[in-house]
Amino acid sequence: MQANVIFWNKAAEQLTGFLITDFEKQNLHDLIHHTNQQGEHVPLTECPVYHALNSGESIFVEDDIFWRKDGTSFPVEYTVNPMVEKGEFIGTVITFRDISEKKKTEQMLAEWEKLSLVGQMSVGIAHEIRNPITSLKGFVQLIRESKQLREDYFDIMDSEFNRIEKIIKELLMFSKPKDINFTQHDLKDLITQVVMLMEPQAILKNIRIDTEWNSNEAIISCLEHQIKQAFLNLIKNATEAMVNGGNIIIKVDTNEKDVLIQVIDNGPGIPKEKLKKIGEPFFTTKEGGTGLGMMVTKNIIKNNHQGSLEVESEVGKGTTFHIRLPLGMDC
Protein backbone atom coordinates (compact mmCIF):
# COMPACT_ATOMS: atom_id res chain seq x y z
CA MET A 1 0.00 0.00 0.00
CA GLN A 2 1.32 3.44 -0.95
CA ALA A 3 -0.84 5.90 1.06
CA ASN A 4 -3.11 6.75 -1.88
CA VAL A 5 -6.17 8.80 -0.87
CA ILE A 6 -9.60 7.60 -2.00
CA PHE A 7 -11.74 9.93 0.15
CA TRP A 8 -11.03 13.42 1.52
CA ASN A 9 -13.77 15.32 3.37
CA LYS A 10 -14.52 19.05 3.52
CA ALA A 11 -12.90 19.50 6.94
CA ALA A 12 -9.64 18.04 5.62
CA GLU A 13 -9.86 20.37 2.58
CA GLN A 14 -10.32 23.40 4.84
CA LEU A 15 -7.44 22.44 7.13
CA THR A 16 -4.92 21.66 4.39
CA GLY A 17 -6.09 23.48 1.27
CA PHE A 18 -5.74 20.25 -0.73
CA LEU A 19 -8.65 18.87 -2.78
CA ILE A 20 -9.26 15.19 -3.48
CA THR A 21 -8.11 15.84 -7.04
CA ASP A 22 -4.67 16.84 -5.75
CA PHE A 23 -4.13 13.21 -4.70
CA GLU A 24 -4.65 11.79 -8.19
CA LYS A 25 -0.93 11.95 -8.95
CA GLN A 26 0.65 12.18 -5.48
CA ASN A 27 0.00 10.28 -2.28
CA LEU A 28 -0.91 11.58 1.18
CA HIS A 29 2.63 11.41 2.52
CA ASP A 30 4.24 13.35 -0.34
CA LEU A 31 1.76 16.21 0.01
CA ILE A 32 1.12 16.70 3.71
CA HIS A 33 3.60 14.63 5.74
CA HIS A 34 6.95 14.73 3.97
CA THR A 35 9.05 16.37 6.72
CA ASN A 36 9.16 16.21 10.52
CA GLN A 37 9.04 19.05 13.05
CA GLN A 38 12.77 19.71 12.56
CA GLY A 39 12.29 20.17 8.81
CA GLU A 40 14.03 16.87 7.99
CA HIS A 41 12.73 14.77 5.12
CA VAL A 42 10.75 11.71 6.20
CA PRO A 43 10.87 8.81 3.72
CA LEU A 44 7.54 7.13 3.03
CA THR A 45 8.77 3.90 4.62
CA GLU A 46 9.40 5.72 7.93
CA CYS A 47 6.00 7.40 8.00
CA PRO A 48 3.71 6.16 10.83
CA VAL A 49 0.74 6.24 8.45
CA TYR A 50 2.57 4.03 5.96
CA HIS A 51 3.50 1.63 8.77
CA ALA A 52 -0.15 1.43 9.88
CA LEU A 53 -1.26 0.91 6.28
CA ASN A 54 0.99 -2.09 5.85
CA SER A 55 0.58 -3.64 9.28
CA GLY A 56 -3.12 -3.11 9.85
CA GLU A 57 -2.39 -1.64 13.28
CA SER A 58 -4.19 1.25 14.96
CA ILE A 59 -1.91 4.10 16.00
CA PHE A 60 -2.23 7.45 17.74
CA VAL A 61 0.32 10.21 17.14
CA GLU A 62 0.12 12.98 19.72
CA ASP A 63 2.34 15.66 18.22
CA ASP A 64 3.37 15.89 14.56
CA ILE A 65 3.10 18.37 11.68
CA PHE A 66 1.15 18.34 8.43
CA TRP A 67 1.73 20.65 5.46
CA ARG A 68 -0.80 22.88 3.74
CA LYS A 69 -1.04 23.49 0.01
CA ASP A 70 0.26 27.05 0.50
CA GLY A 71 3.55 25.70 1.92
CA THR A 72 2.86 26.39 5.59
CA SER A 73 2.72 23.71 8.27
CA PHE A 74 0.53 23.22 11.34
CA PRO A 75 0.76 20.96 14.41
CA VAL A 76 -1.56 17.95 14.46
CA GLU A 77 -2.54 14.90 16.43
CA TYR A 78 -4.00 12.01 14.50
CA THR A 79 -5.24 8.45 14.68
CA VAL A 80 -4.95 5.74 12.04
CA ASN A 81 -7.46 2.89 12.22
CA PRO A 82 -7.69 -0.15 9.93
CA MET A 83 -10.51 -0.62 7.40
CA VAL A 84 -11.70 -4.22 7.21
CA GLU A 85 -14.06 -5.60 4.59
CA LYS A 86 -15.24 -9.22 4.71
CA GLY A 87 -12.45 -10.02 7.13
CA GLU A 88 -9.81 -8.54 4.84
CA PHE A 89 -7.70 -5.46 5.62
CA ILE A 90 -8.17 -3.00 2.74
CA GLY A 91 -6.84 0.33 4.05
CA THR A 92 -7.04 2.84 6.88
CA VAL A 93 -9.06 5.78 8.10
CA ILE A 94 -7.01 8.79 9.21
CA THR A 95 -8.58 11.30 11.60
CA PHE A 96 -6.53 14.39 12.40
CA ARG A 97 -7.01 17.77 14.02
CA ASP A 98 -5.14 21.04 14.15
CA ILE A 99 -3.71 21.46 17.69
CA SER A 100 -2.35 24.99 17.22
CA GLU A 101 -4.68 26.45 19.83
CA LYS A 102 -4.01 23.54 22.19
CA LYS A 103 -0.25 24.17 21.95
CA LYS A 104 -0.74 27.91 22.49
CA THR A 105 -2.77 27.16 25.61
CA GLU A 106 -0.12 24.73 26.87
CA GLN A 107 2.59 27.33 26.26
CA MET A 108 0.55 29.97 28.08
CA LEU A 109 0.03 27.63 31.05
CA ALA A 110 3.75 26.85 31.08
CA GLU A 111 4.55 30.58 31.16
CA TRP A 112 2.07 31.10 33.99
CA GLU A 113 3.67 28.20 35.85
CA LYS A 114 7.10 29.80 35.43
CA LEU A 115 5.78 33.13 36.68
CA SER A 116 4.19 31.37 39.64
CA LEU A 117 7.50 29.66 40.45
CA VAL A 118 9.35 32.99 40.18
CA GLY A 119 6.82 34.50 42.58
CA GLN A 120 7.24 31.64 45.05
CA MET A 121 11.02 31.88 44.81
CA SER A 122 10.95 35.66 45.28
CA VAL A 123 8.92 35.32 48.47
CA GLY A 124 11.20 32.52 49.70
CA ILE A 125 14.40 34.42 48.87
CA ALA A 126 13.09 37.56 50.58
CA HIS A 127 12.18 35.55 53.68
CA GLU A 128 15.43 33.56 53.84
CA ILE A 129 17.69 36.59 53.38
CA ARG A 130 15.61 38.98 55.50
CA ASN A 131 16.07 36.83 58.63
CA PRO A 132 19.90 36.98 58.76
CA ILE A 133 19.86 40.63 57.67
CA THR A 134 17.49 41.48 60.55
CA SER A 135 19.84 39.66 62.91
CA LEU A 136 22.87 41.54 61.53
CA LYS A 137 21.13 44.90 61.88
CA GLY A 138 20.30 44.05 65.49
CA PHE A 139 23.92 43.29 66.36
CA VAL A 140 25.15 46.42 64.58
CA GLN A 141 22.69 48.43 66.69
CA LEU A 142 23.90 46.69 69.88
CA ILE A 143 27.54 47.42 69.05
CA ARG A 144 26.73 51.05 68.25
CA GLU A 145 24.81 51.59 71.50
CA SER A 146 27.16 49.65 73.81
CA LYS A 147 30.34 50.76 71.99
CA GLN A 148 31.75 47.32 72.81
CA LEU A 149 33.27 44.88 70.29
CA ARG A 150 32.34 41.50 71.75
CA GLU A 151 33.83 38.39 70.13
CA ASP A 152 30.61 36.39 70.41
CA TYR A 153 28.76 39.11 68.47
CA PHE A 154 31.22 38.76 65.60
CA ASP A 155 30.90 34.95 65.61
CA ILE A 156 27.12 35.18 65.23
CA MET A 157 27.36 37.89 62.57
CA ASP A 158 29.90 35.83 60.63
CA SER A 159 27.52 32.88 60.74
CA GLU A 160 24.68 35.01 59.35
CA PHE A 161 26.89 36.34 56.53
CA ASN A 162 27.83 32.75 55.68
CA ARG A 163 24.15 31.81 55.48
CA ILE A 164 23.43 34.65 53.04
CA GLU A 165 26.47 33.63 50.96
CA LYS A 166 25.27 30.00 50.89
CA ILE A 167 21.81 31.02 49.64
CA ILE A 168 23.31 33.19 46.89
CA LYS A 169 25.72 30.44 45.76
CA GLU A 170 22.94 27.87 45.49
CA LEU A 171 20.72 30.29 43.59
CA LEU A 172 23.54 30.95 41.10
CA MET A 173 23.86 27.19 40.56
CA PHE A 174 20.20 27.10 39.51
CA SER A 175 20.76 28.87 36.19
CA LYS A 176 22.04 26.81 33.27
CA PRO A 177 25.46 28.00 32.09
CA LYS A 178 25.47 29.30 28.54
CA ASP A 179 28.00 28.52 25.82
CA ILE A 180 29.57 25.66 27.78
CA ASN A 181 30.44 22.50 25.90
CA PHE A 182 29.17 19.18 27.16
CA THR A 183 31.85 16.50 27.27
CA GLN A 184 31.78 12.70 27.31
CA HIS A 185 32.35 11.04 30.69
CA ASP A 186 31.89 7.64 32.26
CA LEU A 187 29.29 8.34 34.94
CA LYS A 188 30.77 5.64 37.14
CA ASP A 189 34.08 7.55 37.28
CA LEU A 190 32.27 10.74 38.30
CA ILE A 191 30.29 8.96 41.02
CA THR A 192 33.46 7.23 42.28
CA GLN A 193 35.11 10.65 42.66
CA VAL A 194 32.09 12.01 44.56
CA VAL A 195 32.05 8.97 46.87
CA MET A 196 35.76 9.42 47.63
CA LEU A 197 35.05 13.05 48.48
CA MET A 198 32.17 12.16 50.81
CA GLU A 199 33.71 9.10 52.54
CA PRO A 200 35.67 11.00 55.26
CA GLN A 201 32.49 12.75 56.41
CA ALA A 202 30.54 9.48 56.22
CA ILE A 203 33.14 7.57 58.26
CA LEU A 204 32.97 10.20 61.01
CA LYS A 205 29.22 9.52 61.26
CA ASN A 206 29.65 5.72 61.10
CA ILE A 207 28.06 5.58 57.65
CA ARG A 208 29.18 3.12 54.98
CA ILE A 209 28.90 4.00 51.27
CA ASP A 210 28.78 1.08 48.82
CA THR A 211 28.54 1.12 45.02
CA GLU A 212 27.12 -1.53 42.72
CA TRP A 213 27.93 -1.41 39.00
CA ASN A 214 25.69 -3.58 36.82
CA SER A 215 27.39 -2.63 33.56
CA ASN A 216 30.93 -2.08 32.26
CA GLU A 217 30.50 1.62 31.49
CA ALA A 218 27.89 4.37 31.43
CA ILE A 219 29.07 7.08 29.02
CA ILE A 220 27.05 10.31 29.12
CA SER A 221 27.54 13.75 27.61
CA CYS A 222 27.38 16.24 30.47
CA LEU A 223 28.70 19.22 32.36
CA GLU A 224 31.08 17.35 34.66
CA HIS A 225 30.98 19.76 37.60
CA GLN A 226 27.16 19.90 37.56
CA ILE A 227 26.70 16.12 37.56
CA LYS A 228 29.19 15.84 40.41
CA GLN A 229 27.34 18.58 42.29
CA ALA A 230 24.00 16.78 41.84
CA PHE A 231 25.27 13.48 43.27
CA LEU A 232 27.25 15.28 45.96
CA ASN A 233 23.98 16.91 47.09
CA LEU A 234 22.12 13.56 47.14
CA ILE A 235 24.82 11.72 49.11
CA LYS A 236 25.32 14.67 51.46
CA ASN A 237 21.58 14.77 52.17
CA ALA A 238 21.60 11.06 52.95
CA THR A 239 24.55 11.34 55.35
CA GLU A 240 23.03 14.32 57.13
CA ALA A 241 19.69 12.49 57.52
CA MET A 242 21.29 9.53 59.35
CA VAL A 243 22.02 10.46 62.96
CA ASN A 244 23.08 7.07 64.30
CA GLY A 245 25.08 5.72 61.36
CA GLY A 246 23.81 3.55 58.54
CA ASN A 247 24.37 2.53 54.93
CA ILE A 248 24.17 4.27 51.58
CA ILE A 249 24.09 2.16 48.42
CA ILE A 250 24.59 3.64 44.96
CA LYS A 251 23.45 1.37 42.13
CA VAL A 252 24.23 2.07 38.47
CA ASP A 253 22.62 0.12 35.64
CA THR A 254 22.38 0.84 31.90
CA ASN A 255 20.22 -0.20 28.97
CA GLU A 256 20.35 0.81 25.31
CA LYS A 257 19.09 4.35 25.85
CA ASP A 258 19.81 5.50 29.38
CA VAL A 259 21.47 4.87 32.70
CA LEU A 260 19.55 4.35 35.96
CA ILE A 261 21.20 5.48 39.18
CA GLN A 262 19.69 4.71 42.57
CA VAL A 263 20.89 6.42 45.75
CA ILE A 264 19.51 4.31 48.60
CA ASP A 265 19.83 5.02 52.33
CA ASN A 266 18.41 3.33 55.42
CA GLY A 267 17.89 6.59 57.27
CA PRO A 268 14.74 7.85 59.02
CA GLY A 269 12.78 8.28 55.76
CA ILE A 270 10.48 11.12 54.68
CA PRO A 271 6.75 11.31 55.51
CA LYS A 272 4.42 10.97 52.51
CA GLU A 273 2.97 14.45 52.93
CA LYS A 274 6.46 15.93 52.55
CA LEU A 275 7.65 13.77 49.64
CA LYS A 276 5.81 15.74 46.97
CA LYS A 277 7.45 18.96 48.16
CA ILE A 278 11.01 17.68 47.71
CA GLY A 279 12.77 19.97 45.24
CA GLU A 280 10.54 22.97 45.89
CA PRO A 281 12.46 26.17 46.69
CA PHE A 282 13.09 26.63 50.41
CA PHE A 283 11.37 23.41 51.43
CA THR A 284 13.71 21.32 53.56
CA THR A 285 13.56 18.45 56.05
CA LYS A 286 16.90 19.47 57.60
CA GLU A 287 17.42 21.90 60.43
CA GLY A 288 19.26 24.92 59.07
CA GLY A 289 18.75 23.82 55.44
CA THR A 290 17.57 26.10 52.63
CA GLY A 291 15.97 23.51 50.34
CA LEU A 292 17.93 24.99 47.45
CA GLY A 293 20.31 22.02 47.21
CA MET A 294 17.53 19.68 46.04
CA MET A 295 16.12 22.37 43.76
CA VAL A 296 19.56 22.73 42.16
CA THR A 297 19.93 18.95 41.86
CA LYS A 298 16.52 18.64 40.20
CA ASN A 299 17.35 21.44 37.77
CA ILE A 300 20.73 19.91 36.86
CA ILE A 301 19.27 16.48 36.13
CA LYS A 302 15.92 17.37 34.54
CA ASN A 303 16.48 20.70 32.78
CA ASN A 304 20.21 20.78 32.04
CA HIS A 305 20.67 17.09 31.21
CA GLN A 306 17.17 15.98 30.08
CA GLY A 307 16.99 13.29 32.73
CA SER A 308 14.44 12.38 35.40
CA LEU A 309 14.48 12.41 39.19
CA GLU A 310 12.02 10.55 41.40
CA VAL A 311 12.01 9.81 45.11
CA GLU A 312 10.34 7.16 47.22
CA SER A 313 10.58 6.85 50.97
CA GLU A 314 9.12 5.09 53.97
CA VAL A 315 9.41 6.44 57.48
CA GLY A 316 11.70 4.26 59.58
CA LYS A 317 13.08 2.37 56.57
CA GLY A 318 14.87 4.90 54.38
CA THR A 319 14.79 6.83 51.12
CA THR A 320 15.65 6.00 47.51
CA PHE A 321 16.30 8.52 44.74
CA HIS A 322 15.87 7.19 41.18
CA ILE A 323 17.78 9.16 38.55
CA ARG A 324 17.75 8.48 34.81
CA LEU A 325 20.16 10.13 32.37
CA PRO A 326 20.32 9.56 28.60
CA LEU A 327 23.44 7.79 27.32
CA GLY A 328 25.77 9.70 25.01
CA MET A 329 23.41 12.65 24.59
CA ASP A 330 24.40 15.81 22.77
CA CYS A 331 23.32 19.07 24.35
Side-chain angles (χ1 to χ4, degrees):
M1 296 187 182
Q2 295 297 315
N4 295 318
V5 178
I6 60 173
F7 176 76
W8 193 249
N9 67 14
K10 288 293 182 184
E13 288 180 359
Q14 291 171 358
L15 282 172
T16 66
F18 288 109
L19 305 176
I20 185 63
T21 52
D22 292 314
F23 296 99
E24 290 176 356
K25 295 183 180 179
Q26 288 182 284
N27 63 31
L28 177 78
H29 177 78
D30 290 340
L31 289 183
I32 71 168
H33 195 225
H34 45 82
T35 64
N36 60 21
Q37 292 172 322
Q38 289 73 44
E40 301 165 336
H41 174 68
V42 177
L44 176 63
T45 53
E46 294 180 13
C47 172
V49 176
Y50 177 82
H51 175 75
L53 273 170
N54 285 274
S55 67
E57 296 178 9
S58 294
I59 64 167
F60 171 66
V61 178
E62 187 175 9
D63 189 7
D64 205 342
I65 64 166
F66 281 176
W67 290 86
R68 299 186 182 94
K69 192 171 184 177
D70 63 9
T72 60
S73 64
F74 61 102
V76 292
E77 64 179 22
Y78 59 91
T79 58
V80 183
N81 292 306
M83 293 171 58
V84 180
E85 186 176 285
K86 296 179 180 179
E88 184 180 346
F89 171 58
I90 60 171
T92 61
V93 176
I94 302 170
T95 306
F96 64 93
R97 74 183 184 104
D98 185 342
I99 57 171
S100 299
E101 291 304 316
K102 177 184 176 184
K103 293 181 81 68
K104 285 180 183 177
T105 302
E106 289 174 349
Q107 185 176 359
M108 188 181 299
L109 289 172
E111 292 300 322
W112 277 108
E113 190 175 336
K114 288 179 184 177
L115 288 173
S116 175
L117 177 60
V118 169
Q120 292 175 34
M121 286 185 63
S122 298
V123 171
I125 292 167
H127 175 75
E128 290 294 321
I129 292 182
R130 182 177 58 192
N131 287 344
I133 287 177
T134 301
S135 177
L136 289 166
K137 287 174 69 177
F139 279 104
V140 168
Q141 187 68 28
L142 279 173
I143 292 170
R144 177 180 291 149
E145 291 177 358
S146 65
K147 301 188 186 315
Q148 292 182 355
L149 302 179
R150 290 176 49 178
E151 191 68 28
D152 55 341
Y153 285 2
F154 286 110
D155 289 340
I156 297 172
M157 291 172 71
D158 188 51
S159 174
E160 296 300 282
F161 277 122
N162 286 337
R163 180 167 176 78
I164 294 173
E165 184 181 30
K166 180 182 178 183
I167 291 169
I168 292 171
K169 278 183 178 179
E170 291 182 329
L171 284 170
L172 289 174
M173 274 290 297
F174 186 69
S175 62
K176 182 177 180 179
K178 305 297 182 183
D179 302 323
I180 295 180
N181 293 325
F182 282 61
T183 51
Q184 299 279 329
H185 293 276
D186 189 339
L187 181 64
K188 294 194 298 183
D189 291 340
L190 302 185
I191 291 176
T192 298
Q193 293 171 33
V194 172
V195 170
M196 289 176 64
L197 186 65
M198 287 301 302
E199 271 185 334
Q201 180 179 333
I203 290 169
L204 288 174
K205 296 191 67 177
N206 195 30
I207 295 170
R208 177 172 175 170
I209 304 176
D210 293 316
T211 53
E212 295 181 8
W213 317 115
N214 296 322
S215 59
N216 293 326
E217 61 180 11
I219 304 299
I220 63 169
S221 184
C222 66
L223 294 172
E224 179 184 359
H225 68 285
Q226 283 203 0
I227 290 296
K228 285 183 178 179
Q229 182 65 50
F231 285 100
L232 187 70
N233 288 347
L234 291 173
I235 298 171
K236 185 170 180 285
N237 283 349
T239 59
E240 290 177 350
M242 292 187 281
V243 180
N244 301 313
N247 297 304
I248 298 172
I249 302 173
I250 303 167
K251 296 182 178 181
V252 178
D253 193 14
T254 60
N255 56 38
E256 292 181 358
K257 293 183 178 180
D258 56 25
V259 53
L260 169 65
I261 310 99
Q262 294 174 289
V263 180
I264 307 163
D265 71 61
N266 61 349
I270 304 168
K272 284 185 178 179
E273 64 272 15
K274 293 183 178 181
L275 267 182
K276 61 184 178 181
K277 294 184 178 181
I278 297 294
E280 290 183 7
F282 301 104
F283 173 80
T284 180
T285 59
K286 298 184 297 183
E287 185 178 349
T290 65
L292 293 175
M294 275 308 304
M295 185 182 76
V296 167
T297 300
K298 187 176 179 181
N299 184 64
I300 288 171
I301 291 170
K302 297 185 71 173
N303 297 335
N304 297 1
H305 292 84
Q306 285 70 61
S308 66
L309 174 65
E310 296 177 356
V311 58
E312 60 178 342
S313 187
E314 187 173 346
V315 174
K317 291 190 176 181
T319 303
T320 300
F321 282 91
H322 303 270
I323 305 99
R324 284 191 182 274
L325 291 167
L327 289 172
M329 68 174 254
D330 273 319
C331 293

